Amino acid sequence: MKRSAFKEINSTQRFARQILKGDRRLKYLNYRFAWNFFPKLKYVAKFPTHVDIEITNKCNLRCVMCPHGFPTAEFRKSLGSMDPELAKKVIDEGCKKGLASIKVNWRGEPLIWKKNMRKLISYAKKKGIVDIMMNTNGLLLNNEFSKELIASGLDQISFSVDGTSSKTYESIRQGGNYFNAIGNIERFINIRNDMKRIKPLVRVQMVKQNDNIHEVDAFIKKWTSLVDSITFQDYTNRGETTGRLNETKDGYHTVGRRACPQIWQRIVVTWDGKVVMCCRDWNSENVLGELDYSRGRDLESFWSGKKLKKIRRLHLRRDVDKITACAKCTYKESFRWKKLK
């Protein structure tokens, strides 16, 4: 039995129908096959299916579940934004080797990178990236910036909201303004519709935790008729122990670890060019190396390199506790589950 950290409702099929038109049909189907089945087959492709490109790790909020909310001294020292040329090199390499999907953020707020955003997304789309996505708090949007993002070729945008009242939202997303966030999201949707665009797919997501669990039903009611999908993610504070996993009270409990699908699907490039094993390694504890295209240290060399090969072997042997970042990871897909009697 496999439990998931994510639950999606109100998902629309119109985006999928649009994506599957014309010559993109085969590319999209191949992409989804690789994403879903390579981890099950434990097949290591020449290149990852997906890359998280951390265009910046700066943020305008201090959310309680995020490294920005409780930054370590090391995290404070390492804030910055990516050189656009590095981002292009990653996309160039990926497009030659089978990359299908990118997300233009990781630990930061991508809209801070405003002056480069549209150009990069348009560049990636012209190069043939099938699925380009972004997670954002939406607070830095205005009408003009919204139009730019919609016209850029962005495929999916996920707005993190985490509540249906200003009290709840602002207690979690510290430094934010609930009404500004909601207004920006609603205007973004209206602008997209006025431009007669199907893309980007608009998702709102909530990280479920004790302070907002009472607003889940209201959250669904608020957004069902407005957005293309609604996602709930289980709480993690990016540094907790695995003890919280069994607090879900959904009739299942953990019975050991399993090979995590992420190390057969995706990889992360930080703003300063470091290559990290997965998007759950928030503190970059398992850095595989640093990109240097002038010396042949490209992303493929780390994806197929000795360090990640060793990590995959440990996962297959269920020795994940020997890997620094994995030992305390709470990603449900990396655990085996059993239904309680």
Side-chain angles (χ1 to χ4, degrees), residues 28-66:
Y28 185 82
L29 292 175
N30 286 339
Y31 153 49
R32 297 313 301 171
F33 178 86
W35 178 266
N36 289 310
F37 288 97
F38 284 3
K40 294 178 181 179
L41 299 170
K42 305 300 181 285
Y43 174 73
V44 182
K46 178 180 181 180
F47 203 80
T49 303
H50 173 93
V51 175
D52 290 299
I53 302 176
E54 185 183 57
I55 55 179
T56 184
N57 68 345
K58 298 177 182 179
C59 192
N60 54 332
L61 297 183
R62 297 295 179 263
C63 300
V64 297
M65 63 284 191
C66 178

Side-chain angles (χ1 to χ4, degrees), residues 161 163-164 204 206 215-223 230 232:
V161 183
T164 56
V204 291
M206 173 190 279
E215 294 187 355
V216 166
D217 290 341
F219 191 86
I220 295 170
K221 184 177 180 180
K222 159 73 179 172
W223 293 108
I230 301 168
F232 294 97

Side-chain angles (χ1 to χ4, degrees), residues 139 165-166 169-170 176-184 186-187:
L139 288 164
S165 67
S166 59
Y169 173 91
E170 290 165 18
N177 182 290
Y178 174 73
F179 295 106
N180 287 349
I182 298 307
N184 287 350
E186 291 176 345
R187 277 191 294 274

Side-chain angles (χ1 to χ4, degrees), residues 254-313:
T254 59
V255 289
R257 302 299 296 267
R258 63 187 300 139
C260 180
Q262 292 216 14
I263 51 179
W264 281 273
Q265 291 170 323
R266 65 199 297 176
I267 207 164
V268 178
V269 179
T270 66
W271 72 270
D272 53 354
K274 294 183 179 67
V275 181
V276 180
M277 58 176 282
C278 83
C279 71
R280 307 285 292 198
D281 186 4
W282 304 107
N283 293 315
S284 302
E285 294 176 291
N286 285 91
V287 176
L288 304 176
E290 191 166 347
L291 291 174
D292 187 344
Y293 282 98
S294 66
R295 297 184 179 182
R297 295 172 63 82
D298 58 11
L299 201 50
E300 182 187 356
S301 68
F302 298 112
W303 176 251
S304 304
K306 291 181 180 179
K307 287 186 178 180
L308 197 46
K309 283 182 178 178
K310 181 179 179 180
I311 288 169
R312 292 189 185 108
R313 285 197 300 269

Side-chain angles (χ1 to χ4, degrees), residues 226-245:
L226 295 174
V227 299
D228 299 305
S229 70
I230 301 168
T231 302
F232 294 97
Q233 181 178 352
D234 288 335
Y235 174 78
T236 167
N237 68 11
R238 299 351 187 208
E240 64 185 350
T241 63
T242 56
R244 188 181 175 90
L245 277 168

